């Protein structure tokens, strides 16, 4: 049985159903010569075909089988049964090439021939029956397929036993039919059992390795399909590793397993991990397959989707275009309503690029495609395309054309109240209402529509992994609520909506409990497994409840509501148990929006709180002070906003490489300032001296202190012009926030002298400025001890830590060089230190395969152990016991989140705060060793003299900027690397 379920599901990011072979006229079958008295040589060659693998390279396999059959025909004396089974091998090769009808006809001919000759009933005969069932299932003839498949299972049980590969194959075949009928709950355990049998057999014999991969890939796909992304990721990782270890590098199934892992990671929201995997798979398929093969299009689309959602939409656009081009040339290979979705993604990219005309044309094309191939005008794909086109028409001031489309969508949507399609339609209706002058009604209607979604996002009965995906899907809706509410008196609704729009950014660590469970003891591991199982069960109940609500089945709705309530209660209990067993879990994952009144009450005169929201149409900014609230908007395409940020990053990088000659793109910094701080906000900012900032995604990586508040004069490369520039740091002390709620307040311990712990300068490779670029294995996703040892060492880090230690009275502890190990950090009495400094490399959580959270590089051991693998991750940090006024992370990329589109501080910062830190100083980019010590020491000294932490950092930055003894001091790459979290 080789029609893998992954071909049916193939990760929902591909947004299409099974590639189904189109109708083809069956080619004439070679004559089956049934002669007696075989020649030994011909018989041997034919018998050798029986175990021949046709899946790795089916084209080559087909040529080989046909060559053997041709030689056998020339002898005229082949064994009839051997010849029939050789024809079955040929049929398997045809099946692997999606030549389904040809394969089915040949399988039937073989079966009839064996029956006519009364051939012995063997396990091989069971496989033949199963293959007939497989081809029938692929053609949608499910009842006939069920009959053949059940006969195969019974025969395999009788002649080979329930631990045989033939029995596993038949179980898998029945699972496929279950899935095709919609009985996913029945399919899952059958595939799991088939995988267990096949794995045991393959391990014992070294045979049938491909079956393990087929079943495992299918199991992960089905787990994802039933919304169990956590378990799907674990399964996909396991099967990809199995395939990489046991199958040849270019084996079709090995490539498919890797593709599936990347697609499932992407669907689970772990885009940065998915991207390198999907890139590698695409290159493999390009090398193995013809340029227009639909499998290449699937790889192109999966990679584009991951890039798109991780903030790299400029790279995603051409990949979407090529995928659509291939599928349009092969319309028989996909369900074309999936093609409509892909064209819609092209339209999103066009809108992001600011090309509204192309975006509108593509929306029209997507709707036309959906209508052409869908069975009904009420098909969900048609309704989605209509809603998207209505939105584009509305943006183009073509309201009369948009209105009937939206009315049709709202009247025919058969989804629950929290479904993305429902929210999208209500969002557009609210926009129309607002533009027609009913702003208050639009706020009320959209707020009511979003209320169930808000409740679900904040409920601890919602699995933490689901919060990430739901938050990503709902960001646009909450942004629109914030935009509409900010235009009127409902500023409190805008304040709440901006926090909800950024909710996914606040969940930076523990995003994959399943991947972390082996790091804890038996009780915690069992608690995680129980939690994940309950979460999967709860998802299914919520889906069933939504279907009952849509169907208007009141009896089923009441029954399911009771089941959902009981399930939610169980999940809340499991969540509480996790909080008791997994250090930092609650603090890292608990996010509750602050109330506007509470935020205002805690602000003193001169302090401000800035919330920023971003979507495809622009920015919404809200400034909150003790006395009032001011909001503003800035229209800007996503592409232009990204380009401004890229220009700043390029300026910083050039400054790091050549601090004497590099310039800084002050015009980009000035334009970005005006977008983030629109006119009403700029005017209100005059009364603010200290500003806390909550920004989404890549905007949180902006060095706010280095934004330019007045039109720059002079040359960008002139140090004196840079010093005369009106940087934001000249007017405001800034810090960033984890949430609109203040950090926990922990009183200092009376009578204790300030003590210091310094950790870093790990023993690594030769020094290099941009270490990640010089460590190809780490960049490719390998974070084993050998790969970490390739990272460049930091030659001045030890001196920085020693200098800092010398400035503190009382005891200090230094873990430097060979002493800077994970083992030593975990054993150190860090709770005694009031200031803790790390001087090392930080790795971005989610960007590296096998790492689901950010971490700090320590001196790697020779051999990794569960206690020490050279990487101190966020979840391990959360288990430390701290009582620190400051944690300073003077490292490369320690402020980084999960991707280009992720917040700077959601991972490590949350972990250190959970462990007991009151404030953090983190680096935006690689910090020059000679400057890091000066900035951090001046900041600490200023805070000890009574300045606020933010003001102390601001003065330290300006001191470096104005200094004459620091090379390149005027360049922001030198003076603005740090960001303050908390104050």
């Amino acid at each position: 049985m080789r029609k893998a379920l992954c071909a049916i599901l193939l990760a929902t990011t591909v947004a299409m159903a099974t590639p189904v072979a189109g109708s083809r006229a069956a080619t004439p079958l070679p004559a089956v010569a049934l002669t007696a008295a075989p020649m030994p040589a011909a018989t041997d060659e034919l018998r050798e075909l029986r175990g021949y693998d046709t899946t790795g390279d089916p084209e080559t396999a087909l040529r080989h089988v046909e060559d053997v059959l041709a030689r056998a025909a020339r002898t005229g004396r082949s064994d009839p049964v051997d010849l029939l089974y050789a024809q079955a091998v040929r049929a398997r090769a045809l099946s692997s090439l999606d030549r389904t009808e040809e394969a089915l006809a040949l399988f039937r001919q073989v079966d009839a021939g064996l029956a006519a000759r009364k051939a012995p009933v063997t396990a091989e005969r069971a496989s033949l029956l199963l293959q007939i069932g497989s081809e029938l299932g692929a053609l949608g003839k499910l009842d006939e397929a069920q009959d053949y498949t059940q006969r195969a299972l019974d025969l395999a049980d009788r002649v080979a036993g329930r631990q045989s590969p033939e029995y596993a194959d038949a179980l898998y075949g029945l699972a496929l039919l279950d899935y095709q009928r919609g009985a996913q709950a029945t399919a899952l355990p059958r595939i799991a059992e088939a995988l267990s049998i096949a794995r045991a057999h393959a391990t014992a014999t070294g045979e049938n390795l491909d079956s393990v991969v087929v079943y495992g890939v299918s199991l992960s796909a089905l787990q994802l399909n039933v919304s169990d992304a956590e378990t799907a990721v674990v399964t996909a990782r396991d099967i990809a590793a199995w395939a990489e270890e046991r199958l040849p590098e270019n084996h079709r199934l090995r490539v498919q397993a890797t593709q599936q892992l990347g697609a499932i990671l992407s669907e689970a929201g772990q885009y940065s991990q998915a991207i390198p995997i999907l890139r590698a798979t695409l290159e493999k398929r390009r090398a193995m397959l013809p340029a227009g093969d639909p499998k290449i299009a699937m790889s192109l689309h999966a990679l584009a989707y991951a890039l798109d959602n991780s903030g790299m939409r400029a790279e995603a656009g051409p990949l979407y275009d090529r995928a659509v081009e291939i599928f349009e040339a092969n319309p028989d290979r996909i369900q074309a309503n999936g093609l409509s979705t892909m064209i819609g993604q092209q339209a999103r990219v066009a809108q992001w690029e600011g090309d509204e005309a192309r975006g509108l044309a593509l929306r029209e094309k997507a709707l036309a495609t959906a209508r052409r191939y869908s069975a009904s005008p009420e098909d969900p794909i048609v309704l989605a395309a209509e809603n998207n086109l209505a939105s584009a028409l509305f943006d183009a001031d073509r309201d009369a054309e948009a209105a009937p489309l939206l009315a049709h969508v709202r009247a025919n949507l058969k989804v629950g109240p929290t479904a993305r399609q429902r929210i999208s339609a209500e969002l557009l209706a609210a926009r129309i209402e607002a533009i027609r002058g009913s702003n208050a009604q639009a706020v009320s209607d959209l707020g009511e529509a979003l209320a169930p979604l808000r409740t679900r996002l904040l409920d601890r009965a919602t699995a933490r992994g689901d919060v990430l995906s739901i938050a990503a899907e709902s960001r646009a809706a909450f942004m629109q609520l914030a935009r509409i509410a900010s235009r009127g008196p409902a500023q409190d609704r805008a304040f709440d909506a901006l926090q909800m729009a950024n909710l996914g950014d606040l969940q930076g660590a523990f995003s994959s409990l399943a991947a972390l469970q082996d790091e804890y003891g038996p009780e915690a591991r069992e608690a995680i497994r129980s939690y994940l199982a309950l979460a999967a069960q709860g998802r299914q109940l919520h889906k069933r409840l939504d279907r009952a609500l849509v169907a208007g089945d009141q009896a089923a709705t009441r029954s399911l509501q009771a089941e959902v309530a009981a399930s939610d209660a169980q999940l809340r209990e499991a969540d509480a148990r996790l909080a008791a067993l997994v250090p930092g879990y609650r603090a890292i994952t608990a996010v509750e929006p602050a109330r506007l009144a509470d935020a205002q009450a805690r602000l003193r005169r001169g302090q401000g709180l800035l919330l920023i929201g971003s979507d495809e149409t622009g920015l919404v900014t809200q400034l909150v002070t003790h006395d009032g609230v001011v909001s503003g908007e800035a229209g800007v395409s996503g592409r232009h906003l990204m380009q401004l940020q890229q220009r700043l990053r390029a300026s910083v990088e050039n400054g790091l490489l050549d601090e004497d000659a590099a310039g800084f793109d002050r015009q980009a910094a000035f334009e970005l300032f005006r977008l983030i701080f629109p006119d009403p906000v700029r005017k209100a900012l005059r009364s603010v001296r200290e500003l806390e900032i909550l920004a989404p995604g890549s905007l949180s990586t902006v060095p706010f202190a280095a934004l330019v508040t007045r039109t720059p004069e002079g040359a960008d490369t002139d140090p004196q012009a840079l010093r005369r520039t009106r940087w934001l740091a000249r007017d405001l002390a800034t810090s960033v926030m984890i949430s609109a709620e203040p950090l926990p307040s922990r009183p200092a311990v009376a009578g204790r002298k300030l003590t210091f712990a310094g950790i870093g300068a790990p023993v690594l490779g030769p020094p290099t400025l941009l270490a990640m670029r010089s460590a190809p294995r780490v960049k490719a996703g390998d974070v084993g001890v050998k790969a970490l040892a390739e990272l460049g060492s930091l030659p001045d880090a030890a001196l920085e830590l020693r200098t800092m230690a010398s400035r503190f009275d009382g005891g200090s502890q230094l873990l430097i060089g060979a002493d800077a190990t994970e083992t030593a950090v975990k054993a150190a009495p860090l709770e005694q230190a009031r200031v803790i400094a790390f001087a090392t490399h930080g790795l971005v959580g989610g960007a590296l395969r096998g790492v689901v959270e950010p971490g700090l590089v320590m001196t790697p051991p020779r051999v990794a152990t569960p206690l020490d693998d050279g990487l101190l991750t966020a979840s391990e940090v959360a288990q430390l016991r701290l009582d620190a006024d400051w944690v300073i992370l003077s490292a490369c990329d320690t402020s980084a989140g999960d991707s280009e589109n992720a917040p700077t501080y959601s991972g490590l910062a949350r972990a250190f705060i959970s462990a007991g830190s009151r404030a953090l100083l983190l680096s935006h980019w690689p910090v020059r060793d000679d400057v890091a010590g000066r900035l951090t020491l001046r900041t600490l000294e200023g805070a000890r003299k009574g300045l606020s932490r933010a003001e102390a950092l601001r003065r330290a930055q300006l001191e470096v900027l104005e200094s004459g003894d620091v090379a390149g001091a005027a360049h922001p790459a030198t003076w603005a690397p740090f960001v303050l979290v908390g104050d």
Side-chain angles (χ1 to χ4, degrees), residues 675-727:
L675 288 171
I676 294 174
F677 298 87
D679 284 339
V681 173
R682 285 200 300 276
K683 291 175 182 176
L685 205 61
R686 294 168 186 165
S687 63
V688 176
R689 292 295 301 163
E690 293 187 4
L691 188 65
E692 299 173 305
I693 302 171
L694 181 64
S698 60
L699 280 173
S700 61
T701 67
V702 170
F704 290 99
L707 294 181
V708 176
T709 64
R710 295 180 190 170
T711 304
E713 298 178 353
D716 285 345
T717 55
D718 179 5
Q720 293 308 314
L722 292 179
R723 286 192 173 90
R724 290 193 299 270
T725 298
R726 198 68 188 181
W727 305 105

Side-chain angles (χ1 to χ4, degrees), residues 248-417:
E249 184 174 359
N250 291 327
H251 194 288
R252 180 180 63 89
L253 287 175
R254 173 170 169 175
V255 176
Q256 190 169 353
T258 307
Q259 167 78 19
Q260 183 78 343
L261 172 59
I264 287 180
L265 284 167
S266 185
E267 184 65 17
Q270 299 176 35
Y271 305 114
S272 295
Q273 286 194 69
I275 288 169
I277 298 171
L278 293 171
R279 284 193 197 280
T281 306
L282 175 59
E283 293 311 308
K284 285 283 185 188
R285 284 185 165 170
R286 278 175 165 163
M288 295 166 58
L289 300 170
D293 192 290
K295 288 187 177 67
I296 292 178
M298 287 181 175
S299 287
L300 285 164
H301 183 269
L303 176 57
Y305 183 89
L307 291 166
D308 186 354
N309 284 277
S310 66
M312 293 181 275
R313 194 165 290 174
E315 186 178 353
L319 301 181
Y320 280 140
D321 293 344
R322 178 57 182 151
V324 169
E325 180 184 342
I326 292 174
F327 278 124
E328 286 182 325
N330 295 272
D332 63 323
R333 301 295 292 273
I334 62 168
Q335 288 185 4
N337 57 1
L339 179 59
S340 169
T341 302
M342 296 173 69
I343 296 168
Q345 288 163 331
Q346 289 181 290
R348 276 195 312 108
V349 173
Q351 180 182 358
W352 174 79
E353 290 174 335
D355 190 344
E356 294 182 3
R358 180 171 183 260
L360 181 58
L362 285 167
R363 290 296 185 195
E364 292 172 333
K365 179 182 177 182
L367 177 56
T369 301
R371 285 174 171 170
R372 182 165 64 248
Y373 291 102
S374 297
S376 162
E378 284 71 48
D379 187 292
I381 286 288
V382 175
L383 297 177
E386 285 182 336
N387 188 72
N388 290 329
L389 176 56
S391 181
L393 288 168
F394 176 73
D395 289 338
D397 296 324
R398 292 163 61 178
D399 298 13
E401 296 170 75
L405 291 172
L406 179 60
H408 183 253
V409 171
R410 297 181 78 188
N412 292 281
L413 272 177
K414 305 298 183 187
V415 294

Side-chain angles (χ1 to χ4, degrees), residues 711-751:
T711 304
E713 298 178 353
D716 285 345
T717 55
D718 179 5
Q720 293 308 314
L722 292 179
R723 286 192 173 90
R724 290 193 299 270
T725 298
R726 198 68 188 181
W727 305 105
L728 186 63
R730 294 198 180 277
D731 302 312
L732 285 175
T734 58
S735 60
V736 297
M737 306 184 68
I738 291 174
S739 74
E741 289 282 2
L743 298 183
S745 177
R746 296 184 178 92
V749 177

Side-chain angles (χ1 to χ4, degrees), residues 99-331:
R99 293 164 63 176
T100 303
E101 293 186 352
E102 293 175 77
L104 176 60
L106 186 50
F107 279 134
R108 285 187 186 276
Q109 183 178 347
V110 172
D111 184 45
L114 291 170
R117 291 203 158 258
K118 295 182 171 54
V121 177
T122 63
E124 198 169 9
R125 186 72 176 274
S127 294
L128 178 62
L129 293 173
L130 181 61
Q131 287 161 337
I132 295 173
S134 173
E135 305 308 320
L136 288 166
L139 294 172
K141 301 177 181 180
L142 301 186
D143 291 340
E144 194 177 358
Q146 181 82 21
D147 178 62
Y148 273 98
T149 307
Q150 187 62 53
R151 287 168 56 195
L153 183 72
D154 295 340
L155 183 58
D157 187 10
R158 188 167 75 247
V159 302
R162 296 197 172 196
Q163 297 304 310
S164 66
E166 292 80 11
Y167 189 84
D169 260 351
L171 269 178
Y172 177 73
L174 288 174
L176 287 186
L177 297 174
D178 290 333
Y179 171 76
Q180 287 177 274
R181 288 192 169 98
Q184 297 171 350
T186 306
L188 264 172
R190 279 179 165 163
I191 295 181
E193 183 181 355
L195 175 59
S196 177
I197 295 168
R199 194 161 193 164
H201 176 79
T203 301
T205 65
E207 299 172 351
N208 300 101
L209 302 178
D210 58 322
S211 294
V212 178
V213 180
V214 170
Y215 303 163
V217 167
S218 297
L219 180 60
S220 67
L222 188 54
Q223 288 165 338
L224 181 67
N225 190 258
V226 299
S227 303
D228 189 6
E230 289 267 0
T231 306
V233 167
V234 173
T235 301
R237 285 189 192 282
D238 180 44
I239 295 306
W242 170 281
E244 288 173 4
E245 183 178 345
R246 292 168 174 83
L247 295 180
E249 184 174 359
N250 291 327
H251 194 288
R252 180 180 63 89
L253 287 175
R254 173 170 169 175
V255 176
Q256 190 169 353
T258 307
Q259 167 78 19
Q260 183 78 343
L261 172 59
I264 287 180
L265 284 167
S266 185
E267 184 65 17
Q270 299 176 35
Y271 305 114
S272 295
Q273 286 194 69
I275 288 169
I277 298 171
L278 293 171
R279 284 193 197 280
T281 306
L282 175 59
E283 293 311 308
K284 285 283 185 188
R285 284 185 165 170
R286 278 175 165 163
M288 295 166 58
L289 300 170
D293 192 290
K295 288 187 177 67
I296 292 178
M298 287 181 175
S299 287
L300 285 164
H301 183 269
L303 176 57
Y305 183 89
L307 291 166
D308 186 354
N309 284 277
S310 66
M312 293 181 275
R313 194 165 290 174
E315 186 178 353
L319 301 181
Y320 280 140
D321 293 344
R322 178 57 182 151
V324 169
E325 180 184 342
I326 292 174
F327 278 124
E328 286 182 325
N330 295 272

